[in-house]
């Protein structure tokens, strides 16, 4: 029975590119199920929700760490020739954790950028100056400017 169960939960022991592809497919299936359950007013299971890549990575790390890896480690003790599958789980966990760290760095950078005050754009400055109230004096004409320059040099 345990080997049949292990075969059912074998996705995390495959190479990372395959693991990720299948995990994405399962995540879509779970998210669809959650949406249908919510529409029917049924309770939903939190681990089945992956609204974004960060949650998706966390779900995969938790599933591989607490469900699949312990089972495969026990199987590898009974069948040492399967140790390479445990090594693959460990390698995949490293990849999931690295991706989660990348997401966190991206989020931190976006938050830091959003927190910085932004200088007004030139279009905003132009709008503000064009919407300034008109003064009572007329702008100087070219002749007036020339007269001022001549008066200053005399």
């Amino acid at each position: 029975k345990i080997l049949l169960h292990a075969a059912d939960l074998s996705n995390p022991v495959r190479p990372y590119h395959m693991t990720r592809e299948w995990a994405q497919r399962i995540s879509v299936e779970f998210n669809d199920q959650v949406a249908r359950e919510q529409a029917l007013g049924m309770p939903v299971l939190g681990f089945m929700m992956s609204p974004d890549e960060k949650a998706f990575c966390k779900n995969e790390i938790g599933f591989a760490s607490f469900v699949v890896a312990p089972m495969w480690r026990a199987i590898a003790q009974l069948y040492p020739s399967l140790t390479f599958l445990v090594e693959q789980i460990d390698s995949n966990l490293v990849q999931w954790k690295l991706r989660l760290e990348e997401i966190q760095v991206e989020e931190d950078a976006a938050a830091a950028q959003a927190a910085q005050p932004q200088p007004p754009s030139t279009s905003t400055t132009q709008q503000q100056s064009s919407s300034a109230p008109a003064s009572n004096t007329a702008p100087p004409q070219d002749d007036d400017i020339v007269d001022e320059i001549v008066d200053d040099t005399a």
Side-chain angles (χ1 to χ4, degrees), residues 24-60:
Q24 287 173 327
R25 292 175 186 212
I26 292 166
S27 179
V28 168
E29 181 181 329
F30 281 4
N31 285 335
D32 289 346
Q33 181 177 335
V34 165
R36 286 191 303 261
E37 289 171 347
Q38 286 175 328
L40 295 171
M42 298 172 63
V44 296
L45 299 171
F47 76 88
M48 292 186 67
M49 295 183 280
S50 298
D52 55 32
E53 189 169 4
K54 186 175 184 178
F56 171 65
C57 290
K58 285 182 176 183
N59 284 348
E60 291 308 308

Side-chain angles (χ1 to χ4, degrees), residues 113-119:
Q113 185 177 4
Q116 291 180 353
Q118 300 296 318

Side-chain angles (χ1 to χ4, degrees), residues 107-122:
E107 287 179 354
D108 291 348
Q113 185 177 4
Q116 291 180 353
Q118 300 296 318
S121 68
T122 55

Side-chain angles (χ1 to χ4, degrees), residues 26 35-36 38 47 61 69 71 80 84 97 119 146:
I26 292 166
R36 286 191 303 261
Q38 286 175 328
F47 76 88
I61 291 167
M71 175 184 64
F84 74 98
K97 290 174 183 177
V146 170

Side-chain angles (χ1 to χ4, degrees), residues 1-2 8 26 59 74-75 88 92 98 104 108 123 125 137:
K1 287 183 179 183
I2 190 67
D8 185 41
I26 292 166
N59 284 348
I75 292 170
Q88 185 64 56
N92 290 344
L98 285 173
Q104 190 62 54
D108 291 348
S123 61
T125 307
T137 60

